[in-house]
């Protein structure tokens, strides 16, 4: 049997946007009164709010960013940030890129990131924190973190995809309601949203798995791969973040907060709070009173 030789025409794959260098990937907790008086620098900077509410300010505008929102600061533009009287968890990514003029239309305006864009950003944070760890004031890698194969390329590609997606959204080329995303990444975000919606309830892994359409073992493995934490540990961390907000609000006793968030006992609540923050609830209350502090994700004061 004779094998036929086929001549194929190649299609070139030029890059419209090319990320050149990564400078930092910060993941910080802000106390409710935290204020950063500003800086300016050569790289672009993405600010994304995972929880809480922050106010960003430049000489040209002031915007309030809520959970799931981001903004892109242009190079050399002075910018400030402060917590809006609630504890916040914020990701900051700085980078340089070729073809800066293509990015300009999406700079300086708040975006509510859709599911796909958030997945890209989470991937950038997960891999990015390992490749810049210990540099430019980025915390050293945590014990559970591992630098994965091709992490540098993954971050570069995800950053470029995120920028492309923001530009397409800005050009009305994407309807977020009809957008498709990676099935695995979508499952992770679905779990996170489900946890957020049932923060004060007792929920099981079986219930979570049924909600997202996976087996318990499969969704647990996917979630750990993308977040670096188990679902239960992530859920406890979310509850502790909510507890921080309630402690700052000072409208409930500690036992009431413990019961409200579904902890079995006040002792277990206090032990988990200290495990996550390095402080007891009472110590944390003193810590944030008249404080303008921010911490890394290990709660080391910066």
């Amino acid at each position: 049997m004779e094998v036929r030789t086929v001549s194929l025409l190649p299609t070139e794959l030029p890059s419209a946007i090319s990320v050149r260098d990564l400078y930092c990937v910060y993941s910080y907790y802000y106390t409710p009164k935290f204020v950063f008086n500003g800086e300016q620098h050569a790289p672009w900077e993405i600010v994304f709010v995972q929880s809480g509410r922050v106010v960003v300010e430049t000489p040209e505008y002031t915007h309030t960013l809520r959970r799931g929102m981001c903004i892109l600061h242009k190079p050399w533009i002075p910018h400030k940030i402060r917590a809006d009287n609630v504890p916040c968890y914020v990701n900051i990514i700085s980078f340089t890129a070729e073809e800066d003029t293509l990015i300009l239309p999406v700079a300086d305006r708040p975006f509510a990131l859709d599911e796909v864009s958030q997945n890209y950003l989470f991937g950038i944070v997960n891999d990015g924190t390992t490749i810049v760890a210990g540099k430019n004031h980025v915390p050293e890698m945590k014990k559970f973190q591992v630098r994965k194969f091709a992490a540098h390329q993954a971050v570069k590609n995800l950053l470029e995809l995120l920028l492309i997606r923001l530009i397409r959204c800005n050009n009305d080329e994407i309807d977020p309601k009809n957008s498709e995303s990676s099935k695995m990444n979508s499952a992770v975000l679905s779990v996170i949203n489900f946890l957020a919606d049932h923060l004060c309830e007792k929920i099981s892994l079986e219930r979570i798995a049924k909600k997202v359409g996976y087996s318990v073992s499969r969704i647990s493995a996917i979630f750990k791969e993308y977040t670096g934490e188990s679902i239960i540990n992530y859920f406890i961390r979310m509850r502790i973040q909510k507890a921080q907000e309630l402690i700052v609000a000072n409208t409930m006793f500690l036992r009431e907060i413990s019961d409200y968030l579904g902890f079995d006992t006040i002792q277990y609540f206090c032990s988990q709070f200290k495990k996550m923050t390095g402080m007891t609830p009472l110590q944390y209350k003193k810590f944030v009173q008249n404080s303008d502090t921010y911490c890394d994700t290990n709660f080391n004061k910066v």
Side-chain angles (χ1 to χ4, degrees), residues 247-299:
I247 289 172
V248 171
N250 200 29
T251 57
M252 301 171 69
F253 293 111
L254 291 182
R255 185 175 296 278
E256 291 176 317
I257 294 174
S258 175
D259 292 341
Y260 174 73
L261 292 174
F263 288 95
D264 292 331
T265 65
I266 182 68
Q267 291 81 9
Y268 181 64
F269 165 65
C270 291
S271 68
Q272 290 300 310
F273 193 99
K274 186 170 184 179
K275 179 180 177 182
M276 295 289 180
T277 69
M279 297 172 258
T280 67
L282 286 175
Q283 288 171 333
Y284 178 77
K285 186 171 185 177
K286 293 179 180 178
F287 175 74
V288 298
Q289 286 178 338
N290 303 315
S291 173
D292 59 353
T293 305
Y294 69 110
C295 314
D296 64 26
T297 49
N298 290 320
F299 282 90

Side-chain angles (χ1 to χ4, degrees), residues 5-57:
T5 301
V6 179
S7 179
L8 300 175
L9 294 176
T11 298
E12 294 185 4
L13 299 174
S15 296
I17 294 175
S18 179
V19 170
R20 187 170 63 243
D21 296 303
L22 183 70
Y23 289 82
C24 69
V25 180
Y26 298 136
S27 294
Y28 283 139
Y29 292 102
Y30 295 161
T31 57
K33 296 183 180 180
F34 169 72
V35 176
F36 180 61
N37 289 323
E39 64 181 9
Q40 59 182 14
H41 43 63
W44 291 82
E45 180 175 289
I46 297 173
V47 178
F48 175 72
V49 182
Q50 281 207 37
S51 66
R53 190 175 60 248
V54 303
V55 177
V56 294
E57 182 180 352

Side-chain angles (χ1 to χ4, degrees), residues 45-248:
E45 180 175 289
I46 297 173
V47 178
F48 175 72
V49 182
Q50 281 207 37
S51 66
R53 190 175 60 248
V54 303
V55 177
V56 294
E57 182 180 352
T58 74
E60 300 175 357
Y61 61 80
T62 299
H63 291 303
T64 299
L65 305 180
R66 294 172 173 80
R67 179 176 177 267
M69 297 181 68
C70 83
I71 198 165
L72 182 63
H73 292 309
K74 295 190 295 252
W76 296 119
I77 299 300
H79 50 277
K80 305 177 182 179
I81 189 169
R82 62 179 170 84
D84 193 21
N85 297 309
V86 294
C88 309
Y89 183 22
V90 178
N91 300 126
I92 297 176
I93 303 164
S94 62
F95 64 94
T96 54
E98 308 290 349
E99 304 87 24
D100 281 15
T101 55
L102 296 177
I103 308 175
L104 286 173
V106 297
D108 301 334
R109 53 168 294 191
F111 278 90
L113 294 189
D114 65 2
E115 190 172 348
V116 178
S117 300
Q118 287 194 40
N119 290 332
Y120 291 157
L121 193 137
F122 292 153
I124 294 165
V125 171
N126 287 338
D127 275 347
T129 51
T130 68
I131 64 177
V132 296
K135 186 184 297 182
N136 297 331
H137 308 291
V138 178
E140 297 287 349
M141 278 201 296
K142 299 176 183 178
K143 292 181 179 179
F144 64 77
Q145 286 181 309
V146 176
R147 185 174 297 170
K148 298 179 181 178
F149 169 74
H152 294 75
Q153 184 176 351
V155 170
K156 173 181 169 62
N157 291 348
L158 287 170
L159 256 173
E160 291 168 354
L161 287 169
L162 177 60
L163 293 170
I164 290 169
R165 190 163 187 83
L166 290 177
I167 292 169
R168 288 180 175 180
C169 287
N170 188 59
N171 295 341
D172 296 325
E173 296 178 28
I174 292 176
D175 181 357
K177 294 181 180 179
N178 297 323
S179 63
E180 294 185 1
S181 63
S182 162
K183 189 175 181 181
M184 288 173 61
N185 286 353
S186 296
V188 172
L189 194 58
S190 295
V191 171
I192 292 173
N193 289 334
F194 183 78
L195 296 178
D197 291 340
H198 299 83
L199 198 62
C200 301
E201 301 176 24
K202 293 184 184 297
I203 55 177
S204 65
L205 290 176
E206 288 76 14
R207 183 180 172 191
I208 295 169
K210 183 178 180 180
K211 174 67 178 179
V212 298
Y214 282 86
S215 67
V216 170
S217 59
R218 182 60 176 154
I219 191 58
S220 297
I222 293 171
F223 195 89
K224 181 69 177 290
E225 177 184 354
Y226 278 85
T227 68
E229 292 186 278
S230 68
I231 295 175
I232 296 302
N233 199 62
Y234 196 97
F235 188 42
I236 293 173
R237 186 179 296 278
M238 292 175 70
R239 283 178 161 179
I240 296 303
Q241 289 176 6
K242 183 63 178 180
Q244 290 174 279
E245 295 181 25
L246 295 173
I247 289 172
V248 171

